[in-house]
Amino acid sequence: VAGAEIEVAFGRPATEMFSAFDGPTAAASIAQVHRAETTDEPPADAAVKVLRPGIEALFRRDLEALALFARLAERFSLEARRLRLTALVETLAASVALELDLRMEAAAASELYERTRGDADFRVPHIDWTRTATRVLTSEWIDGIPVRDRAALAAAGFDPKKIAVIVMRSFLTQALRDGFFHADMHPGNLFVDAKGRLVAVDFGIMGRLDETMRRFMAGT
């Protein structure tokens, strides 16, 4: 299925882009991630995120149902009109549209990479733009230990408490220094590489803070 999606996305067989392509190594509600090897010389290990077939139609159906509910609620309820449910659903639909375009996630990853490339304890995988499209995102493969695996971290010589400090420091640095931050830093999206650096994946949810808000937060 993933191979067919890649062929549709790029107009050529997946075998022309990847010399090896494994089954899903991670799965979420909208996409699956596969480990692959590119046809470059030399070949590179890659993580290939592919949207699930038909996911756009499923979201469209659910959003249409929510929009209908919101319109009916606002027609008969003063409280619903006050809460502006229709506008809320419209905002949700716009957010979903962005998340279903993997080029937007790739752009966010590239921006975060540029902003944090000098940070000693944090890194972002490189994006392979030649193998990225609306429904396919390709980045470098990350070998790392999940931050939630305390036993594995300890066995590799890493102090889980120090890793937790790096997580907090990385988030605050991105938010307060750059005003652009990974807004979905749950344990499933964070790994520790062989050098002890925190590596983030999945850039579908990002946040921005303007200078005024950053100054306010830094001063509280």
Side-chain angles (χ1 to χ4, degrees), residues 8-161:
V8 170
F10 297 99
R12 54 194 176 117
T15 52
E16 292 185 6
M17 307 174 70
F18 302 102
S19 57
F21 200 91
D22 296 341
T25 60
S29 57
I30 69 169
Q32 292 182 331
V33 177
H34 302 257
R35 183 170 187 170
E37 186 177 84
T38 69
T39 52
D40 296 333
E41 190 58 48
D45 288 334
V48 185
K49 184 174 184 177
V50 183
L51 290 184
R52 293 181 181 276
I55 191 66
E56 295 92 344
L58 290 175
F59 269 104
R60 184 165 53 251
R61 182 196 64 190
D62 291 346
L63 288 167
E64 288 174 352
L66 283 174
L68 175 61
F69 169 79
R71 290 195 299 271
L72 290 173
E74 289 187 351
R75 178 181 300 178
F76 297 107
S77 169
L78 179 62
E79 182 67 12
R81 289 195 293 273
R82 185 184 69 82
L83 293 174
R84 301 180 64 198
L85 294 183
T86 299
L88 178 62
V89 174
E90 290 173 352
T91 299
L92 177 61
S95 176
V96 168
L98 291 175
E99 192 165 353
L100 291 178
D101 186 344
L102 295 183
R103 296 171 301 178
M104 302 301 293
E105 180 178 342
S110 292
E111 181 176 350
L112 190 63
Y113 170 81
E114 291 298 330
R115 291 177 180 271
T116 62
R117 62 189 307 176
D119 296 355
D121 295 326
F122 183 85
R123 64 179 291 233
V124 173
H126 294 281
I127 297 298
D128 183 345
W129 282 101
T130 64
R131 295 175 173 86
T132 293
T134 303
R135 308 191 84 254
V136 180
L137 188 159
T138 303
S139 63
E140 67 171 305
W141 178 262
I142 296 296
D143 284 314
I145 302 170
V147 296
R148 60 188 169 194
D149 194 340
R150 292 174 57 90
L153 289 173
F158 301 121
D159 183 348
K161 291 183 178 179

